[in-house]
Amino acid sequence: LALAAAQAFAAGARLAPHRAIYSLTMSSTDAPGQFLKVGGSVQAILEKTCDAWISTERVKMRVTTQSGGTLRQDLMYTGWESLDGGDYRFAARSTTNGETVKYRGVAFSDPTKPGQAVYSEPKKITMSLPPGTQFYFGLTSWLIEQAQAGKSRAETIVFDGTDEEGPQKAIVFIVPLPEQGREPAGETKKTLGPLVDRPGWLMHIAFYSIDERAAEPDYEVQAVVLDNGVTPKLELVFTSFTAIQTLEKIEELE
């Protein structure tokens, strides 16, 4: 199901460069357990230059445990992705309760033959990427292309470089949002402006290791994705809790 790079990024050219701020909370449906509360924020920027898309994300998350402790996660990510989807540069810094690890490297992908990712941090690692692997921005573009084609289920291989796990298989189920109101009632603030007043889809994405045949995914995301690439709401489903990422403010960039 992997698309040719030119096709995938034709859709990407119509996406809206923007700066967005999200709040982080814990799902009220999660059963009481080890984790009691989730808080924090996400700042995301998508910029377009003459030859690439640049994605920047800053995630600050606090998780309160049943014993009264606090887990703090701070993630910084920047990705540079050529307009044809073939070349990718990435840098990420993840800090958990004061312990920091950095990831940096380059990668290339081809729709018909294997690609490659090369890490320079935290150590030199070279790994093969299956043909048609999607990078960070390319996945969003590909998801919208599948939805616009009327697909209800699709799968692809993705790689973002924010850890050392390598490429993953992504399986997505797509449901169009209702035309009237477009987003589920109460889930998106109507004061956010024309960038969120768009048609879109509810997408459930499960991520699996390509080297394993596990029945359960490594993690799952349920997101409202609009046709301009804006995501008003995401639910990040972890093993023990679900974090809800809700759009609070957004502005369009040139």
Side-chain angles (χ1 to χ4, degrees), residues 22 183 187-188 192 196 224-226 230-234 245-248:
Y22 299 83
E183 68 276 342
E187 292 195 355
T188 303
L192 291 177
V196 299
V224 174
V225 181
L226 306 183
V230 173
T231 52
K233 184 176 180 180
L234 298 91
Q245 183 174 313
T246 304
L247 183 62
E248 300 291 344

Side-chain angles (χ1 to χ4, degrees), residues 1 65 69 71 74 76 113-114 175 184 216 228:
L1 291 173
T65 66
L71 300 176
D74 192 337
M76 279 285 294
K113 59 185 179 182
V175 178
E216 296 295 326
N228 60 356

Side-chain angles (χ1 to χ4, degrees), residues 58-208:
R58 175 74 182 270
V59 181
K60 303 183 78 170
M61 183 166 64
R62 303 179 306 278
V63 182
T64 304
T65 66
Q66 183 77 33
S67 61
T70 301
L71 300 176
R72 299 182 183 275
Q73 174 79 34
D74 192 337
L75 173 67
M76 279 285 294
Y77 161 84
T78 300
W80 179 99
E81 195 166 332
S82 61
L83 295 181
D84 65 2
D87 294 297
Y88 180 55
R89 300 198 295 264
F90 58 91
R93 184 187 70 219
S94 178
T95 302
T96 304
N97 282 1
E99 296 186 9
T100 300
V101 60
K102 297 179 181 180
Y103 303 96
R104 184 184 299 271
V106 297
F108 71 89
S109 177
D110 188 279
T112 61
K113 59 185 179 182
Q116 189 177 71
V118 180
Y119 288 77
S120 56
E121 287 188 84
K123 58 184 178 181
K124 184 68 177 291
I125 304 173
T126 300
M127 59 181 64
S128 179
L129 302 178
T133 295
Q134 307 283 351
F135 296 128
Y136 189 92
F137 167 77
L139 176 62
T140 301
S141 183
W142 178 86
L143 288 170
I144 293 172
E145 182 111 343
Q146 301 306 299
Q148 290 175 332
K151 300 284 184 68
S152 60
R153 182 191 184 279
E155 63 180 76
T156 189
I157 302 297
V158 299
F159 172 82
D160 63 18
T162 56
D163 55 34
E164 297 178 63
E165 299 302 316
Q168 293 179 299
K169 180 169 69 173
I171 298 177
V172 57
F173 294 91
I174 305 169
V175 178
L177 293 178
E179 281 297 322
Q180 187 65 33
R182 289 176 179 156
E183 68 276 342
E187 292 195 355
T188 303
K189 297 182 178 179
K190 296 185 181 299
T191 57
L192 291 177
L195 282 177
V196 299
D197 185 22
R198 306 283 305 182
W201 306 266
L202 181 64
M203 300 189 183
H204 185 98
I205 313 167
F207 295 89
Y208 298 83

